[in-house]
Amino acid sequence: MSEQTYTVAGMTCEHCVRSVTEEIGGLDGVTGVVVDLPAGTVTVSGSRDIDVADVRGAVEEAGYELTA
């Protein structure tokens, strides 16, 4: 089990939260996604280590930018 927290730029509303959650949640091995809108972070839990490039791609697909 792994868990990583990332900073996401551009999220401003609940629609943003849903989009990011849906895209990251669709990645292979992801078991949980928690978006903290006020902090601008997303915590990704997985049954294995999730590649940061995959998370970045999912965030970009949702229309936002992974900054850290």
Coordinates of all heavy atoms in Angstrom, one line a residue:
M1 N 0.8 -1.2 0.0 CA 0.0 0.0 0.0 C 0.9 1.2 0.0 O 1.9 1.3 0.7 CB -0.9 0.0 1.2 CG -1.9 1.0 1.3 SD -3.3 0.5 0.3 CE -4.5 1.7 0.8
S2 N 0.6 2.2 -0.8 CA 1.3 3.4 -0.9 C 0.4 4.6 -0.8 O -0.8 4.5 -1.1 CB 2.2 3.5 -2.2 OG 1.3 3.8 -3.3
E3 N 0.9 5.8 -0.4 CA 0.2 7.0 -0.3 C 1.1 8.2 -0.6 O 2.1 8.3 0.0 CB -0.5 7.2 1.0 CG -1.4 8.4 1.1 CD -2.1 8.4 2.5 OE1 -3.1 7.7 2.6 OE2 -1.7 9.2 3.3
Q4 N 0.7 9.0 -1.6 CA 1.5 10.2 -1.9 C 0.5 11.4 -2.0 O -0.6 11.3 -2.4 CB 2.1 10.0 -3.3 CG 3.3 9.1 -3.3 CD 4.5 9.7 -2.5 OE1 4.9 9.1 -1.6 NE2 5.0 10.8 -2.9
T5 N 1.1 12.6 -1.6 CA 0.3 13.8 -1.7 C 1.0 14.7 -2.7 O 2.2 14.9 -2.6 CB 0.2 14.5 -0.3 OG1 -0.5 13.6 0.6 CG2 -0.6 15.8 -0.4
Y6 N 0.2 15.3 -3.6 CA 0.7 16.2 -4.6 C 0.0 17.6 -4.5 O -1.1 17.6 -4.1 CB 0.5 15.6 -6.0 CG 1.0 14.2 -6.2 CD1 0.2 13.1 -5.9 CD2 2.3 14.0 -6.5 CE1 0.7 11.8 -6.1 CE2 2.8 12.7 -6.7 CZ 2.0 11.6 -6.5 OH 2.5 10.4 -6.6
T7 N 0.7 18.6 -5.0 CA 0.0 19.9 -5.2 C -0.5 20.1 -6.6 O 0.2 19.8 -7.5 CB 1.1 21.0 -4.8 OG1 1.6 20.8 -3.5 CG2 0.4 22.4 -4.9
V8 N -1.7 20.6 -6.7 CA -2.4 20.7 -8.0 C -2.8 22.2 -8.1 O -3.5 22.8 -7.3 CB -3.6 19.8 -8.1 CG1 -4.3 20.1 -9.5 CG2 -3.2 18.4 -7.9
A9 N -2.4 22.8 -9.2 CA -2.7 24.2 -9.5 C -3.9 24.3 -10.3 O -4.1 23.5 -11.2 CB -1.5 24.9 -10.2
G10 N -4.8 25.3 -10.0 CA -5.9 25.6 -10.9 C -7.3 25.1 -10.4 O -8.3 25.5 -11.0
M11 N -7.3 24.4 -9.3 CA -8.6 23.9 -8.8 C -9.3 25.0 -8.0 O -8.7 25.6 -7.1 CB -8.4 22.6 -7.9 CG -7.8 21.4 -8.6 SD -7.8 20.0 -7.6 CE -6.8 20.5 -6.2
T12 N -10.5 25.3 -8.4 CA -11.2 26.3 -7.7 C -12.6 26.0 -7.2 O -13.2 26.8 -6.4 CB -11.4 27.5 -8.6 OG1 -12.1 27.1 -9.8 CG2 -10.1 28.1 -9.1
C13 N -13.1 24.8 -7.5 CA -14.5 24.5 -7.2 C -14.7 23.0 -7.1 O -13.8 22.2 -7.3 CB -15.5 25.1 -8.2 SG -15.3 24.3 -9.9
E14 N -15.9 22.6 -6.7 CA -16.3 21.1 -6.6 C -16.2 20.4 -7.9 O -15.9 19.2 -7.9 CB -17.6 21.0 -5.9 CG -17.6 21.3 -4.4 CD -16.6 20.4 -3.7 OE1 -16.5 19.2 -3.9 OE2 -15.9 21.0 -2.8
H15 N -16.5 21.1 -9.0 CA -16.3 20.5 -10.3 C -14.9 20.1 -10.5 O -14.6 19.0 -11.1 CB -16.8 21.4 -11.4 CG -16.5 20.9 -12.8 ND1 -17.2 19.8 -13.4 CD2 -15.5 21.2 -13.7 CE1 -16.7 19.6 -14.6 NE2 -15.7 20.4 -14.8
C16 N -14.0 20.9 -10.1 CA -12.5 20.6 -10.2 C -12.2 19.4 -9.4 O -11.5 18.5 -9.9 CB -11.7 21.8 -9.7 SG -12.0 23.4 -10.5
V17 N -12.7 19.3 -8.2 CA -12.5 18.2 -7.4 C -13.0 16.9 -8.0 O -12.3 15.9 -8.1 CB -13.2 18.4 -6.0 CG1 -13.1 17.1 -5.2 CG2 -12.5 19.5 -5.2
R18 N -14.2 16.9 -8.6 CA -14.7 15.7 -9.2 C -13.9 15.3 -10.4 O -13.7 14.1 -10.6 CB -16.2 16.0 -9.6 CG -17.1 15.9 -8.5 CD -18.6 15.9 -8.9 NE -19.0 17.1 -9.7 CZ -19.3 18.3 -9.3 NH1 -19.4 18.5 -8.0 NH2 -19.7 19.2 -10.1
S19 N -13.5 16.3 -11.2 CA -12.7 16.0 -12.4 C -11.4 15.3 -12.1 O -11.0 14.3 -12.7 CB -12.4 17.2 -13.2 OG -13.6 17.8 -13.7
V20 N -10.7 15.9 -11.1 CA -9.4 15.3 -10.7 C -9.6 13.9 -10.1 O -8.8 13.0 -10.4 CB -8.6 16.3 -9.8 CG1 -7.4 15.7 -9.1 CG2 -8.2 17.6 -10.5
T21 N -10.6 13.8 -9.2 CA -10.8 12.5 -8.6 C -11.1 11.4 -9.6 O -10.6 10.3 -9.5 CB -12.0 12.7 -7.6 OG1 -11.6 13.7 -6.6 CG2 -12.3 11.4 -6.9
E22 N -11.9 11.8 -10.6 CA -12.3 10.8 -11.6 C -11.1 10.4 -12.4 O -10.9 9.2 -12.7 CB -13.4 11.4 -12.5 CG -13.9 10.5 -13.6 CD -15.0 11.1 -14.4 OE1 -16.0 11.6 -13.9 OE2 -14.8 11.1 -15.7
E23 N -10.3 11.3 -12.9 CA -9.2 11.0 -13.7 C -8.1 10.2 -13.0 O -7.7 9.1 -13.5 CB -8.5 12.2 -14.3 CG -9.4 12.9 -15.3 CD -9.6 12.1 -16.6 OE1 -8.7 11.3 -17.0 OE2 -10.6 12.4 -17.3
I24 N -7.8 10.6 -11.8 CA -6.8 9.8 -11.0 C -7.3 8.5 -10.6 O -6.6 7.5 -10.6 CB -6.3 10.7 -9.8 CG1 -5.5 11.9 -10.3 CG2 -5.4 9.8 -8.9 CD1 -5.1 12.8 -9.2
G25 N -8.6 8.5 -10.2 CA -9.2 7.2 -9.7 C -9.3 6.2 -10.8 O -9.3 5.0 -10.5
G26 N -9.1 6.6 -12.1 CA -9.2 5.6 -13.2 C -7.8 5.0 -13.5 O -7.7 4.0 -14.3
L27 N -6.8 5.4 -12.8 CA -5.5 4.8 -13.0 C -5.4 3.4 -12.3 O -5.9 3.2 -11.3 CB -4.4 5.7 -12.3 CG -4.2 7.1 -13.0 CD1 -3.2 7.9 -12.1 CD2 -3.7 7.0 -14.4
D28 N -4.6 2.6 -13.0 CA -4.4 1.2 -12.5 C -3.7 1.2 -11.2 O -2.7 1.9 -11.0 CB -3.6 0.4 -13.5 CG -3.5 -1.0 -13.2 OD1 -4.5 -1.6 -12.7 OD2 -2.4 -1.6 -13.3
G29 N -4.3 0.5 -10.2 CA -3.7 0.4 -8.9 C -4.1 1.4 -7.9 O -3.8 1.3 -6.7
V30 N -4.8 2.5 -8.3 CA -5.3 3.5 -7.4 C -6.5 3.0 -6.6 O -7.5 2.5 -7.2 CB -5.7 4.8 -8.1 CG1 -6.4 5.8 -7.2 CG2 -4.4 5.5 -8.7
T31 N -6.4 3.1 -5.3 CA -7.5 2.6 -4.4 C -8.2 3.8 -3.7 O -9.3 3.6 -3.2 CB -6.9 1.7 -3.3 OG1 -5.9 2.4 -2.6 CG2 -6.4 0.4 -4.0
G32 N -7.7 5.0 -3.8 CA -8.3 6.1 -3.1 C -7.7 7.4 -3.6 O -6.5 7.5 -3.9
V33 N -8.6 8.5 -3.7 CA -8.2 9.8 -4.1 C -8.9 10.8 -3.1 O -10.1 10.7 -3.0 CB -8.6 10.1 -5.5 CG1 -8.2 11.5 -5.9 CG2 -8.0 9.1 -6.5
V34 N -8.1 11.6 -2.4 CA -8.7 12.6 -1.6 C -8.2 14.0 -2.0 O -7.0 14.2 -1.9 CB -8.4 12.4 -0.1 CG1 -8.9 13.5 0.8 CG2 -8.9 11.0 0.4
V35 N -9.1 14.9 -2.4 CA -8.7 16.2 -2.9 C -9.0 17.2 -1.7 O -10.2 17.2 -1.2 CB -9.5 16.6 -4.2 CG1 -9.1 18.0 -4.5 CG2 -9.1 15.6 -5.3
D36 N -8.1 18.0 -1.4 CA -8.2 19.0 -0.4 C -8.2 20.3 -1.2 O -7.2 20.9 -1.5 CB -7.1 19.0 0.7 CG -7.3 20.0 1.8 OD1 -8.0 21.0 1.5 OD2 -6.7 19.8 2.8
L37 N -9.4 20.8 -1.5 CA -9.6 22.0 -2.3 C -8.9 23.3 -1.7 O -8.1 23.9 -2.4 CB -11.0 22.3 -2.7 CG -11.3 23.4 -3.6 CD1 -10.7 23.2 -5.0 CD2 -12.9 23.5 -3.8
P38 N -9.2 23.6 -0.5 CA -8.6 24.8 0.1 C -7.0 24.7 0.1 O -6.4 25.8 -0.1 CB -9.1 24.8 1.5 CG -10.4 24.1 1.5 CD -10.1 23.0 0.5
A39 N -6.5 23.6 0.3 CA -5.0 23.4 0.3 C -4.4 23.2 -1.1 O -3.2 23.4 -1.3 CB -4.6 22.2 1.2
G40 N -5.3 22.9 -2.1 CA -4.8 22.6 -3.4 C -4.0 21.4 -3.5 O -3.0 21.3 -4.3
T41 N -4.3 20.3 -2.8 CA -3.6 19.1 -2.8 C -4.5 17.9 -3.1 O -5.7 18.0 -3.0 CB -2.9 18.8 -1.4 OG1 -3.9 18.7 -0.4 CG2 -1.9 19.9 -1.1
V42 N -3.9 16.9 -3.6 CA -4.5 15.6 -3.8 C -3.7 14.5 -3.2 O -2.5 14.5 -3.4 CB -4.8 15.3 -5.3 CG1 -3.6 15.3 -6.1 CG2 -5.7 14.1 -5.5
T43 N -4.3 13.6 -2.4 CA -3.6 12.5 -1.8 C -4.1 11.2 -2.6 O -5.3 11.0 -2.6 CB -3.9 12.4 -0.3 OG1 -3.4 13.6 0.3 CG2 -3.1 11.2 0.3
V44 N -3.1 10.5 -3.1 CA -3.4 9.3 -3.9 C -3.0 8.0 -3.1 O -1.8 7.9 -2.7 CB -2.8 9.3 -5.2 CG1 -3.1 8.1 -6.1 CG2 -3.1 10.6 -6.0
S45 N -3.9 7.1 -2.9 CA -3.6 5.8 -2.3 C -3.6 4.7 -3.3 O -4.4 4.8 -4.2 CB -4.6 5.5 -1.2 OG -4.6 6.5 -0.2
G46 N -2.7 3.8 -3.2 CA -2.7 2.7 -4.2 C -2.3 1.4 -3.6 O -1.7 1.3 -2.5
S47 N -2.7 0.4 -4.3 CA -2.3 -1.0 -3.9 C -0.8 -1.3 -4.2 O -0.3 -2.3 -3.8 CB -3.2 -2.0 -4.6 OG -3.1 -1.8 -6.0
R48 N -0.2 -0.4 -4.9 CA 1.2 -0.4 -5.3 C 1.7 1.0 -5.5 O 0.8 2.0 -5.4 CB 1.4 -1.2 -6.6 CG 0.7 -0.6 -7.8 CD 1.0 -1.3 -9.1 NE 0.3 -0.8 -10.2 CZ 0.5 0.4 -10.8 NH1 1.5 1.2 -10.4 NH2 -0.2 0.8 -11.8
D49 N 2.9 1.3 -5.7 CA 3.4 2.6 -6.0 C 2.9 3.1 -7.3 O 2.9 2.4 -8.3 CB 5.0 2.6 -6.0 CG 5.6 2.5 -4.6 OD1 4.9 2.8 -3.7 OD2 6.8 2.2 -4.6
I50 N 2.3 4.3 -7.3 CA 1.7 4.9 -8.5 C 2.7 5.8 -9.1 O 3.2 6.7 -8.4 CB 0.4 5.6 -8.2 CG1 -0.6 4.7 -7.4 CG2 -0.2 6.1 -9.5 CD1 -1.0 3.5 -8.1
D51 N 3.1 5.7 -10.3 CA 4.1 6.5 -11.0 C 3.6 7.9 -11.1 O 2.5 8.2 -11.5 CB 4.3 5.9 -12.4 CG 5.5 6.6 -13.1 OD1 5.7 7.8 -13.0 OD2 6.3 5.8 -13.7
V52 N 4.5 8.9 -10.6 CA 4.1 10.3 -10.6 C 3.8 10.8 -12.1 O 2.9 11.6 -12.2 CB 5.2 11.2 -10.0 CG1 6.5 11.2 -10.8 CG2 4.7 12.6 -9.8
A53 N 4.4 10.2 -13.1 CA 4.1 10.6 -14.5 C 2.6 10.2 -14.8 O 2.0 11.0 -15.5 CB 5.0 9.9 -15.4
D54 N 2.1 9.1 -14.3 CA 0.7 8.7 -14.5 C -0.2 9.7 -13.8 O -1.2 10.1 -14.4 CB 0.5 7.3 -14.0 CG 1.2 6.3 -14.8 OD1 1.6 6.6 -16.0 OD2 1.4 5.2 -14.3
V55 N 0.1 10.1 -12.6 CA -0.7 11.0 -11.8 C -0.7 12.4 -12.6 O -1.7 13.0 -12.7 CB -0.2 11.2 -10.4 CG1 -1.0 12.3 -9.7 CG2 -0.3 9.8 -9.6
R56 N 0.5 12.8 -13.0 CA 0.6 14.1 -13.7 C -0.3 14.1 -15.0 O -1.0 15.0 -15.3 CB 2.0 14.4 -14.1 CG 2.3 15.7 -14.8 CD 3.7 15.9 -15.1 NE 4.6 15.7 -14.0 CZ 4.9 16.6 -13.0 NH1 4.2 17.7 -13.0 NH2 5.7 16.3 -12.0
G57 N -0.2 13.0 -15.7 CA -1.0 12.8 -16.9 C -2.5 12.9 -16.6 O -3.3 13.5 -17.4
A58 N -2.9 12.3 -15.6 CA -4.4 12.3 -15.2 C -4.8 13.7 -14.8 O -5.9 14.1 -15.2 CB -4.6 11.3 -14.1
V59 N -4.0 14.4 -14.0 CA -4.3 15.7 -13.6 C -4.4 16.6 -14.8 O -5.3 17.5 -14.9 CB -3.3 16.2 -12.6 CG1 -3.4 17.7 -12.3 CG2 -3.4 15.5 -11.3
E60 N -3.4 16.5 -15.7 CA -3.5 17.3 -17.0 C -4.7 17.0 -17.8 O -5.3 17.9 -18.4 CB -2.2 17.2 -17.7 CG -1.0 17.8 -17.0 CD 0.4 17.6 -17.7 OE1 0.4 16.8 -18.7 OE2 1.4 18.1 -17.2
E61 N -5.1 15.7 -17.9 CA -6.3 15.3 -18.6 C -7.5 16.0 -18.1 O -8.4 16.3 -18.8 CB -6.4 13.8 -18.6 CG -7.5 13.3 -19.4 CD -7.4 13.5 -20.9 OE1 -6.3 13.5 -21.4 OE2 -8.4 13.6 -21.6
A62 N -7.5 16.2 -16.7 CA -8.6 16.9 -16.1 C -8.6 18.4 -16.3 O -9.6 19.1 -16.0 CB -8.6 16.5 -14.6
G63 N -7.5 18.9 -16.8 CA -7.4 20.3 -17.1 C -6.6 21.1 -16.1 O -6.7 22.4 -16.0
Y64 N -5.8 20.5 -15.2 CA -5.1 21.2 -14.2 C -3.6 20.8 -14.3 O -3.2 20.0 -15.1 CB -5.7 20.8 -12.8 CG -7.2 21.1 -12.8 CD1 -8.0 20.0 -13.1 CD2 -7.7 22.3 -12.7 CE1 -9.4 20.2 -13.2 CE2 -9.0 22.6 -12.8 CZ -9.9 21.5 -13.0 OH -11.2 21.8 -13.1
E65 N -2.8 21.4 -13.4 CA -1.3 21.2 -13.4 C -0.8 20.6 -12.1 O -1.1 21.2 -11.0 CB -0.7 22.5 -13.7 CG 0.8 22.4 -13.8 CD 1.5 23.7 -14.1 OE1 0.8 24.7 -14.2 OE2 2.7 23.7 -14.2
L66 N -0.1 19.5 -12.2 CA 0.6 19.0 -11.0 C 1.9 19.8 -10.8 O 2.7 19.9 -11.7 CB 0.9 17.5 -11.2 CG 1.4 16.7 -10.0 CD1 0.2 16.5 -9.1 CD2 1.9 15.4 -10.4
T67 N 2.0 20.5 -9.6 CA 3.1 21.4 -9.5 C 4.1 20.8 -8.5 O 5.2 21.3 -8.4 CB 2.7 22.8 -8.9 OG1 2.0 22.6 -7.7 CG2 1.8 23.5 -10.0
A68 N 3.8 19.8 -7.7 CA 4.8 19.2 -6.8 C 4.3 17.9 -6.4 O 3.2 17.5 -6.5 CB 4.9 20.1 -5.5

